[in-house]
Amino acid sequence: MTVRKYISASSEETEALGSKLGRHIVQNSKSAVVCMYGDLGAGKTVFIKGFASSLGIHSRDIGSASFVIVAEYETEPVFYHIDLYRIEGDAALDELGIWEYLDSDSIAVIEWAERLSQRPDGAVSVEIKYLSDNEREIIIKGADI
Amino acid sequence: MRILGIDTSCDDTSASVIEGSSTILSNIVSSQTEIHKKYGGIVPELASRMHMDMISHVVNEALIQAKTELRHIDAIAVCKGPGLIGSLLVGCGFAKSLGYAAGIPLVGVNHLEGHIFAPFLESEPEFPFVSLIASGGHTSLYLINGFGDYEELGRTRDDAAGEAYDKIAKMLGLSYPGGPVIDRMAADGDPKAVSFPRAYLPDSFDFSFSGLKTAVRRELQAIAPDGDITKIPSDILNNIAASFQAAVVDVLVRKVEWAIVKKGIRRIVLTGGVSANSELRKRMQKMADEQNAKLWLPSIRLCTDNAAMIAAAGYHHFVAGDIAGLDLNPKAYLPL
């Protein structure tokens, strides 16, 4: 599996890297799942703002999805911003219908993907680690960017 | 004219009957908070199941308390989003079936528009006014010129203010929802004890609470490196709560102040669940007095989610002839 490591020195760089991954995925497939890992405040939402820009979604329209859990954007293909922060247990995931979202022709980015008992086949993973106030290490696996 | 309002956007099942545009005949809110508290947050599948169990009882109770029979209802106003999709579907499905069976017109209302019209249920704010909607799911600033004429001045770029409260409460090992408990702790703490960052974003009316959340997390890590919050003395925790709350309130008050000055409008409406916060109410009132502005602060039961506000906004849609069809479908993400 392709593993790429980056050091981001600012939220702008994190957003730009998200945009780069987004463009790569959108150009190569109509259906994809990106699993995001990282602690509170690591910069997952910022990364997703960049990612979603590749689908024509304005960064202002991406916020925290913790409240709604699944935010759906009517792009082509459909974009799902999923945030599992408040989800505990497989039963809750099943009833949320998460697997149906992921099986459809859509691009889904999942925050707090550690809550998934299994990573979906072929999913790209993005791990953001806190280094210092501005610096983050970002490890992208499964995408040849 | 009587409007039946229904709101199931989050964890409360609510139904209300209002007379005309603003007289509340009943406003039933069946809170699921006690159930969700056990899980430290809203559990979506629990929420939609609870809504299904509750909705017919809650609507029935709203009609009984309003001494109104269904045939005297002129329109059903239902919240169509934003919110938890499973929860919204229960409310919309129920409203559509009821409307279809009883031959009552249906109106779809955006939840944020409901919050904007909540204060009209007990007073008469004059247009135009600057409205701050701060809740668990939203933190937005609007210029409201009249019904249907809303200009978004700013919104949160990441977490909502109420969401920051909930996430900090979880870090502190406190119960859900975070707002009331942090508000109580803050009353016994020193707001200047820890200097948390305030994201004023001076070039815009947008908000950001993510950096504050990170700063609180790092402060806790510094005090309790092993992650055991229970070892932290309560006076230190109270100081953190007070300092965190001061950072949130400073930003909310300052941004509203900038907005009224920039727009030259000395009228403010505060709404949404976070508006129930005692410190925010006090500080916003102080700022309004200093700026010679008039502030409308709805009572707490109208700040938090309720169906009367959906009915109030729905009234305006109904008289404007904006009727929804049976194809009305709720959306989790739904900008105003």
mmCIF file of all heavy atoms in Angstrom, chain B residues 257-280:
data_model
loop_
_atom_site.group_PDB
_atom_site.id
_atom_site.type_symbol
_atom_site.label_atom_id
_atom_site.label_comp_id
_atom_site.label_asym_id
_atom_site.label_seq_id
_atom_site.Cartn_x
_atom_site.Cartn_y
_atom_site.Cartn_z
ATOM 1 N N GLU B 257 -21.450 43.170 18.520
ATOM 2 C CA GLU B 257 -21.186 44.605 18.642
ATOM 3 C C GLU B 257 -20.664 45.158 17.312
ATOM 4 O O GLU B 257 -21.140 46.181 16.821
ATOM 5 C CB GLU B 257 -20.180 44.856 19.768
ATOM 6 C CG GLU B 257 -19.951 46.337 20.056
ATOM 7 C CD GLU B 257 -19.068 46.553 21.282
ATOM 8 O OE1 GLU B 257 -18.255 45.666 21.612
ATOM 9 O OE2 GLU B 257 -19.198 47.622 21.916
ATOM 10 N N TRP B 258 -19.684 44.452 16.717
ATOM 11 C CA TRP B 258 -19.161 44.889 15.419
ATOM 12 C C TRP B 258 -20.271 44.962 14.373
ATOM 13 O O TRP B 258 -20.323 45.887 13.576
ATOM 14 C CB TRP B 258 -18.067 43.938 14.940
ATOM 15 C CG TRP B 258 -16.779 44.050 15.679
ATOM 16 C CD1 TRP B 258 -16.421 45.025 16.565
ATOM 17 C CD2 TRP B 258 -15.666 43.143 15.606
ATOM 18 N NE1 TRP B 258 -15.158 44.773 17.047
ATOM 19 C CE2 TRP B 258 -14.664 43.642 16.485
ATOM 20 C CE3 TRP B 258 -15.412 41.973 14.894
ATOM 21 C CZ2 TRP B 258 -13.446 43.000 16.660
ATOM 22 C CZ3 TRP B 258 -14.194 41.330 15.067
ATOM 23 C CH2 TRP B 258 -13.220 41.842 15.944
ATOM 24 N N ALA B 259 -21.130 43.953 14.389
ATOM 25 C CA ALA B 259 -22.187 43.879 13.368
ATOM 26 C C ALA B 259 -23.160 45.049 13.492
ATOM 27 O O ALA B 259 -23.516 45.674 12.487
ATOM 28 C CB ALA B 259 -22.928 42.543 13.470
ATOM 29 N N ILE B 260 -23.575 45.369 14.727
ATOM 30 C CA ILE B 260 -24.557 46.462 14.850
ATOM 31 C C ILE B 260 -23.916 47.815 14.507
ATOM 32 O O ILE B 260 -24.551 48.680 13.926
ATOM 33 C CB ILE B 260 -25.245 46.504 16.242
ATOM 34 C CG1 ILE B 260 -24.242 46.718 17.373
ATOM 35 C CG2 ILE B 260 -26.077 45.259 16.483
ATOM 36 C CD1 ILE B 260 -24.904 47.082 18.695
ATOM 37 N N VAL B 261 -22.632 47.953 14.849
ATOM 38 C CA VAL B 261 -21.947 49.211 14.532
ATOM 39 C C VAL B 261 -21.759 49.337 13.016
ATOM 40 O O VAL B 261 -22.087 50.349 12.406
ATOM 41 C CB VAL B 261 -20.585 49.287 15.271
ATOM 42 C CG1 VAL B 261 -19.756 50.451 14.756
ATOM 43 C CG2 VAL B 261 -20.813 49.420 16.770
ATOM 44 N N LYS B 262 -21.254 48.246 12.397
ATOM 45 C CA LYS B 262 -20.992 48.272 10.960
ATOM 46 C C LYS B 262 -22.275 48.497 10.161
ATOM 47 O O LYS B 262 -22.283 49.216 9.165
ATOM 48 C CB LYS B 262 -20.340 46.933 10.567
ATOM 49 C CG LYS B 262 -20.131 46.699 9.090
ATOM 50 C CD LYS B 262 -18.658 46.833 8.709
ATOM 51 C CE LYS B 262 -18.403 46.740 7.224
ATOM 52 N NZ LYS B 262 -18.267 45.348 6.769
ATOM 53 N N LYS B 263 -23.373 47.865 10.604
ATOM 54 C CA LYS B 263 -24.628 47.970 9.860
ATOM 55 C C LYS B 263 -25.444 49.185 10.299
ATOM 56 O O LYS B 263 -26.484 49.482 9.704
ATOM 57 C CB LYS B 263 -25.460 46.685 10.046
ATOM 58 C CG LYS B 263 -24.816 45.447 9.445
ATOM 59 C CD LYS B 263 -24.876 45.494 7.927
ATOM 60 C CE LYS B 263 -23.976 44.452 7.301
ATOM 61 N NZ LYS B 263 -23.925 44.560 5.831
ATOM 62 N N GLY B 264 -25.025 49.828 11.369
ATOM 63 C CA GLY B 264 -25.763 50.995 11.852
ATOM 64 C C GLY B 264 -27.155 50.642 12.332
ATOM 65 O O GLY B 264 -28.093 51.437 12.201
ATOM 66 N N ILE B 265 -27.299 49.448 12.868
ATOM 67 C CA ILE B 265 -28.613 48.994 13.353
ATOM 68 C C ILE B 265 -28.503 48.709 14.836
ATOM 69 O O ILE B 265 -27.677 47.904 15.258
ATOM 70 C CB ILE B 265 -29.058 47.722 12.591
ATOM 71 C CG1 ILE B 265 -29.388 48.100 11.147
ATOM 72 C CG2 ILE B 265 -30.269 47.068 13.255
ATOM 73 C CD1 ILE B 265 -29.471 46.930 10.223
ATOM 74 N N ARG B 266 -29.309 49.364 15.635
ATOM 75 C CA ARG B 266 -29.195 49.216 17.086
ATOM 76 C C ARG B 266 -30.289 48.297 17.628
ATOM 77 O O ARG B 266 -30.911 48.588 18.641
ATOM 78 C CB ARG B 266 -29.245 50.599 17.765
ATOM 79 C CG ARG B 266 -28.019 51.461 17.505
ATOM 80 C CD ARG B 266 -26.778 50.826 18.135
ATOM 81 N NE ARG B 266 -25.630 51.707 18.195
ATOM 82 C CZ ARG B 266 -24.718 51.821 17.228
ATOM 83 N NH1 ARG B 266 -24.830 51.129 16.106
ATOM 84 N NH2 ARG B 266 -23.682 52.638 17.392
ATOM 85 N N ARG B 267 -30.521 47.206 16.914
ATOM 86 C CA ARG B 267 -31.496 46.228 17.397
ATOM 87 C C ARG B 267 -30.893 44.829 17.283
ATOM 88 O O ARG B 267 -30.375 44.465 16.228
ATOM 89 C CB ARG B 267 -32.802 46.323 16.598
ATOM 90 C CG ARG B 267 -33.641 47.532 16.975
ATOM 91 C CD ARG B 267 -34.949 47.565 16.204
ATOM 92 N NE ARG B 267 -34.710 47.803 14.783
ATOM 93 C CZ ARG B 267 -34.591 49.013 14.241
ATOM 94 N NH1 ARG B 267 -34.694 50.087 14.990
ATOM 95 N NH2 ARG B 267 -34.370 49.142 12.952
ATOM 96 N N ILE B 268 -30.965 44.076 18.383
ATOM 97 C CA ILE B 268 -30.315 42.761 18.459
ATOM 98 C C ILE B 268 -31.312 41.729 18.960
ATOM 99 O O ILE B 268 -32.056 41.990 19.905
ATOM 100 C CB ILE B 268 -29.137 42.786 19.461
ATOM 101 C CG1 ILE B 268 -28.147 43.905 19.140
ATOM 102 C CG2 ILE B 268 -28.438 41.433 19.513
ATOM 103 C CD1 ILE B 268 -27.230 44.255 20.309
ATOM 104 N N VAL B 269 -31.296 40.566 18.326
ATOM 105 C CA VAL B 269 -32.077 39.444 18.829
ATOM 106 C C VAL B 269 -31.114 38.288 19.080
ATOM 107 O O VAL B 269 -30.302 37.951 18.230
ATOM 108 C CB VAL B 269 -33.179 39.034 17.823
ATOM 109 C CG1 VAL B 269 -33.744 37.668 18.193
ATOM 110 C CG2 VAL B 269 -34.296 40.071 17.798
ATOM 111 N N LEU B 270 -31.203 37.721 20.258
ATOM 112 C CA LEU B 270 -30.352 36.594 20.627
ATOM 113 C C LEU B 270 -31.240 35.360 20.671
ATOM 114 O O LEU B 270 -32.309 35.387 21.274
ATOM 115 C CB LEU B 270 -29.782 36.885 22.014
ATOM 116 C CG LEU B 270 -28.547 36.127 22.469
ATOM 117 C CD1 LEU B 270 -27.435 36.301 21.479
ATOM 118 C CD2 LEU B 270 -28.126 36.648 23.834
ATOM 119 N N THR B 271 -30.805 34.274 20.026
ATOM 120 C CA THR B 271 -31.654 33.092 20.024
ATOM 121 C C THR B 271 -30.816 31.822 19.877
ATOM 122 O O THR B 271 -29.613 31.893 19.661
ATOM 123 C CB THR B 271 -32.728 33.220 18.910
ATOM 124 O OG1 THR B 271 -33.582 32.095 18.939
ATOM 125 C CG2 THR B 271 -32.112 33.338 17.542
ATOM 126 N N GLY B 272 -31.433 30.652 20.041
ATOM 127 C CA GLY B 272 -30.713 29.382 20.039
ATOM 128 C C GLY B 272 -30.366 28.961 21.458
ATOM 129 O O GLY B 272 -30.349 29.790 22.375
ATOM 130 N N GLY B 273 -30.077 27.696 21.638
ATOM 131 C CA GLY B 273 -29.874 27.128 22.980
ATOM 132 C C GLY B 273 -28.803 27.810 23.809
ATOM 133 O O GLY B 273 -28.953 27.944 25.030
ATOM 134 N N VAL B 274 -27.708 28.260 23.172
ATOM 135 C CA VAL B 274 -26.620 28.904 23.916
ATOM 136 C C VAL B 274 -27.093 30.236 24.518
ATOM 137 O O VAL B 274 -26.530 30.717 25.502
ATOM 138 C CB VAL B 274 -25.372 29.087 23.014
ATOM 139 C CG1 VAL B 274 -24.255 29.832 23.728
ATOM 140 C CG2 VAL B 274 -24.856 27.725 22.551
ATOM 141 N N SER B 275 -28.147 30.817 23.948
ATOM 142 C CA SER B 275 -28.694 32.065 24.479
ATOM 143 C C SER B 275 -29.287 31.885 25.866
ATOM 144 O O SER B 275 -29.630 32.860 26.529
ATOM 145 C CB SER B 275 -29.772 32.616 23.548
ATOM 146 O OG SER B 275 -29.292 32.669 22.239
ATOM 147 N N ALA B 276 -29.412 30.642 26.301
ATOM 148 C CA ALA B 276 -29.881 30.388 27.665
ATOM 149 C C ALA B 276 -28.744 30.597 28.668
ATOM 150 O O ALA B 276 -28.989 30.654 29.877
ATOM 151 C CB ALA B 276 -30.424 28.954 27.778
ATOM 152 N N ASN B 277 -27.510 30.725 28.179
ATOM 153 C CA ASN B 277 -26.342 30.868 29.061
ATOM 154 C C ASN B 277 -26.389 32.189 29.830
ATOM 155 O O ASN B 277 -26.524 33.264 29.241
ATOM 156 C CB ASN B 277 -25.071 30.787 28.193
ATOM 157 C CG ASN B 277 -23.810 30.868 29.020
ATOM 158 O OD1 ASN B 277 -23.336 31.959 29.327
ATOM 159 N ND2 ASN B 277 -23.279 29.727 29.387
ATOM 160 N N SER B 278 -26.250 32.099 31.152
ATOM 161 C CA SER B 278 -26.454 33.279 31.999
ATOM 162 C C SER B 278 -25.406 34.364 31.735
ATOM 163 O O SER B 278 -25.726 35.550 31.689
ATOM 164 C CB SER B 278 -26.440 32.872 33.473
ATOM 165 O OG SER B 278 -25.156 32.404 33.838
ATOM 166 N N GLU B 279 -24.161 33.959 31.550
ATOM 167 C CA GLU B 279 -23.095 34.931 31.324
ATOM 168 C C GLU B 279 -23.289 35.648 29.976
ATOM 169 O O GLU B 279 -23.124 36.865 29.879
ATOM 170 C CB GLU B 279 -21.738 34.208 31.361
ATOM 171 C CG GLU B 279 -20.517 35.104 31.249
ATOM 172 C CD GLU B 279 -20.326 36.011 32.457
ATOM 173 O OE1 GLU B 279 -20.962 35.771 33.499
ATOM 174 O OE2 GLU B 279 -19.545 36.980 32.342
ATOM 175 N N LEU B 280 -23.670 34.896 28.960
ATOM 176 C CA LEU B 280 -23.899 35.503 27.643
ATOM 177 C C LEU B 280 -25.038 36.512 27.705
ATOM 178 O O LEU B 280 -24.942 37.617 27.145
ATOM 179 C CB LEU B 280 -24.204 34.422 26.594
ATOM 180 C CG LEU B 280 -24.481 34.947 25.179
ATOM 181 C CD1 LEU B 280 -23.249 35.651 24.591
ATOM 182 C CD2 LEU B 280 -24.915 33.822 24.239
#
